[in-house]
Structures are given as C-alpha cells and as structure tokens.
Amino acid sequence: MTRLMLVWTLMPLVAVAQETRAQETPSAPTTEAVRLETNRENFGAVVAPAALPDGATAVSGWVGVPEVGVAYRQGTGGWELGARARFDYLRLSVTGEGVVRRQLWTNGTWAVAPELGLGLTGSTGSRYFDEQNLEGWFLRLNPALVATWRAAETVSVVGLVEVPYDLGLSPSGTWRVKPMAGGGAEVYLGEDLSLSAVGELGVDVFKELRGVTQTRLGYGVRLGLGVRLF
C-alpha cells in the first residue's frame, strides 16, 4: 500500500518534468522549413539550376525579343521533365514543345546538363517585320546544353548553347536551323522567386520552298520570372 501511494504521488511530478523537458528541447525543423532551405541551396526556376532536384517543381514566364513564353519544370528520378510554349510576335508563330534534361556533371558550384526539346511550330508567314519569314507547320527539334555556376549565395551565372531545328511539314521542303550561344544570370529574390536575364547570338540558316539556302544573324534576349512550387 505504501508503494502504491508513493507511485500515485510521483506520477504528477514526472508528467510535469516531461512537459518541461519537451518545451526546453528545440523542435525538429518542419517539413516546410526543410523545403525552403533546400530551395535556397538549389534556387532557380527559369534557367537555373542546370537540372531541378527530385521532387522540385517550377513554373516561369519570360518576355523578350523576338518572343514571349511560359515553361513548366519537374525534377523526378534524376531527370528533369518539362514543357514550353513560345510566341514569336515578330513572325506571328507559336511553338509548343516537351523538354527533357539530365544533369551530366557537377562539383557543387558548377553544373552541366544536356537538354532535348521536341515539339511543333506553326507560323502564319507574316512578313510585316520579317520579309523572309517561312509559312506553314514545322517539326521542332531543339538540342541544347545548359551550364550554371553558383557565383554567390543568391546569384547563379548561366550559359546556354541551343540548336533549334524546324523541319517543314506543310509545305515540305522548307527548314530552318538557328544555332545560338549566350548567357546571363539568375538571381534569387526570396519567397521561392527567381529573376533571370539571358542574351544569345548566333546564325539563322533557312531554306524557303524551291529557294536557296540563306544565312543571317540570329539573336534572342529574355527577361524571365519563375517560382519554385515544391
């Protein structure tokens, strides 16, 4: 009986001690806190990082010359899958493509990832701004290489090489290839937002129906804003 009374007397004291210890022990980081920290370490949504980590999702949009566009990116199983839609307002053409990217090499600061896009382009053939614009439907094949360098805690320098190739479907016999190279930077703004500015130069080689192959300067400038969702 004495032992039973002692146990009943000590139980409230033990409960109070356990509650006090739980209050003094720092709580483990929440899932949301871990997610935010991971996004800071691997920030980027528009061009950077070279490939999104597994489970990460990002959406972005950009304005520039000669096009505007939107993109979706998803990291999964060591790959990055995504989709892009572009509108060339100078030539009145639209392009939709699926994209796959895979990180090839990284040392923690530098990262390199090849990319392949496959889609369809439809052009009105408008010649208000471009007297040599091509009209019709085209199969778009777009191999590219993306490199990123973590220059500072919130700044990544990006490099791009891409070779979009449009093969005429209707009418057949026309094509365009536009190898371009350039770079820029992506800056983490906070709250999972990133701002990107990229410029590219190259050549624009094309062949009209029953025409001769022609070459001229190719260029592109983009200012983008993206957000990491997960």
Side-chain angles (χ1 to χ4, degrees):
M1 180 65 70
T2 304
R3 290 182 179 179
L4 185 59
M5 293 179 61
L6 182 60
V7 169
W8 280 103
T9 302
L10 293 178
M11 282 183 63
L13 298 177
V14 172
V16 171
Q18 290 178 341
E19 183 178 354
T20 303
R21 185 181 302 171
Q23 292 176 350
E24 292 177 350
T25 302
S27 59
T30 63
T31 302
E32 179 68 12
V34 171
R35 183 187 70 82
L36 291 175
E37 183 61 28
T38 300
N39 283 2
R40 291 190 190 98
E41 293 176 357
N42 302 282
F43 76 88
V46 188
V47 181
L52 287 181
D54 288 355
T57 302
V59 293
S60 62
W62 69 88
V63 295
V65 180
E67 63 182 21
V68 298
V70 293
Y72 169 82
R73 303 171 64 188
Q74 173 69 57
T76 177
W79 295 81
E80 180 186 308
L81 306 178
R84 284 193 295 249
R86 310 168 184 257
F87 173 59
D88 186 326
Y89 54 85
L90 296 183
R91 299 176 179 88
L92 296 184
S93 67
V94 293
T95 299
E97 58 184 327
V99 183
V100 60
R101 191 186 291 186
R102 173 80 174 184
Q103 184 169 279
L104 189 65
W105 174 84
T106 182
N107 66 356
T109 302
W110 285 88
V112 178
E115 176 185 283
L116 181 62
L118 182 64
L120 193 66
T121 295
S123 176
T124 63
S126 171
R127 301 201 170 188
Y128 186 81
F129 287 102
D130 184 355
E131 295 182 354
Q132 297 172 311
N133 190 18
L134 301 180
E135 179 182 0
W137 291 96
F138 301 82
L139 176 67
R140 164 68 62 91
L141 182 66
N142 190 7
L145 188 68
V146 181
T148 58
W149 171 48
R150 186 73 174 268
E153 184 178 356
T154 58
V155 179
S156 278
V157 176
V158 300
L160 290 172
V161 177
E162 57 180 340
V163 189
Y165 175 68
D166 291 331
L167 176 63
L169 299 177
S170 175
S172 60
T174 59
W175 55 265
R176 180 188 300 274
V177 61
K178 195 175 180 180
M180 305 263 284
E186 188 151 340
V187 180
Y188 181 67
L189 303 177
E191 300 297 330
D192 296 336
L193 288 171
S194 295
L195 180 68
S196 175
V198 173
E200 293 178 287
L201 281 176
V203 293
D204 183 6
V205 185
F206 60 95
K207 179 180 179 298
E208 297 180 281
L209 185 63
R210 295 183 296 275
V212 297
T213 300
Q214 301 184 58
T215 302
R216 61 184 180 181
L217 178 68
Y219 63 92
V221 179
R222 302 195 298 266
L223 180 65
L225 182 66
V227 59
R228 287 279 285 274
L229 302 178
F230 300 102

